[in-house]
Amino acid sequence: MLNTSQYELNEIIEKIKNKVPFELKNKKRSRIWSLRVIVSKLYYSLDYENEPQATRQKVTQLLLYHGQFSKEEIDNTFQAAASETTDYSIEFLKQHPEVAQTAALKSKEFPEEGEGERIKEIKYNLPRYG
């Protein structure tokens, strides 16, 4: 089974690049846990704070290229870590300029202005592994 220290980020990248399988027990639980470790290490190595969705896509593409995990397994890993927030990323503000404009127009004198239903961004709170 893949443990948190078994593969460093560079080793994960090498295995993906060379399409070398990750050593996993065949038990479903072990496979899911191992994928979570791999996704987390890749995700946090990229520009996840500024581009959470683009980072998710990059990680998904890398793992699909590698071929050991299905798109469904990868998507399930991200969905399990998904959370809604109004702490917007640069990527989100570029895609939703109206949100950026509303935030910029908000006055210190009238902080309650525009406090209606705020659009939420999906970010991923994956566990961090050493």
Side-chain angles (χ1 to χ4, degrees):
M1 178 166 96
L2 177 70
N3 65 46
T4 56
S5 61
Q6 185 174 351
Y7 293 117
E8 295 301 320
L9 180 62
N10 289 338
E11 292 174 280
I12 291 171
I13 292 168
E14 280 300 309
K15 286 187 175 287
I16 290 170
K17 208 180 337 180
N18 297 320
K19 294 188 176 187
V20 174
F22 293 97
E23 298 162 20
L24 311 171
K25 289 184 178 178
N26 286 333
K27 293 180 182 177
K28 185 177 180 179
R29 193 164 148 198
S30 169
R31 183 176 176 86
I32 291 168
W33 185 85
S34 298
L35 178 59
R36 188 177 339 151
V37 172
I38 294 164
V39 165
S40 175
K41 286 191 173 198
L42 290 170
Y43 185 78
Y44 289 124
S45 74
L46 298 168
D47 194 17
Y48 71 94
E49 288 177 334
N50 292 320
E51 299 181 326
Q53 298 308 317
T55 301
R56 175 187 174 162
Q57 290 173 351
K58 288 176 192 172
V59 170
T60 300
Q61 288 172 345
L62 286 169
L63 291 173
L64 289 176
Y65 168 81
H66 179 257
Q68 189 169 358
F69 302 101
S70 71
K71 181 162 180 9
E72 181 182 15
E73 289 173 307
I74 299 163
D75 285 346
N76 287 343
T77 300
F78 276 105
Q79 290 296 35
S83 65
E84 291 184 334
T85 182
T86 55
D87 181 19
Y88 304 119
S89 67
I90 293 170
E91 173 188 50
F92 187 84
L93 292 174
K94 284 180 182 177
Q95 293 171 349
H96 300 279
E98 72 282 2
V99 174
Q101 185 178 25
T102 300
L105 291 176
K106 224 186 217 186
S107 163
K108 289 182 183 176
E109 294 176 39
F110 304 103
E112 66 281 345
E113 290 277 325
E115 281 295 324
E117 184 67 28
R118 292 176 69 183
I119 188 169
K120 297 206 166 110
E121 176 181 17
I122 301 292
K123 289 188 178 178
Y124 306 98
N125 296 317
L126 294 155
R128 290 188 184 261
Y129 300 97

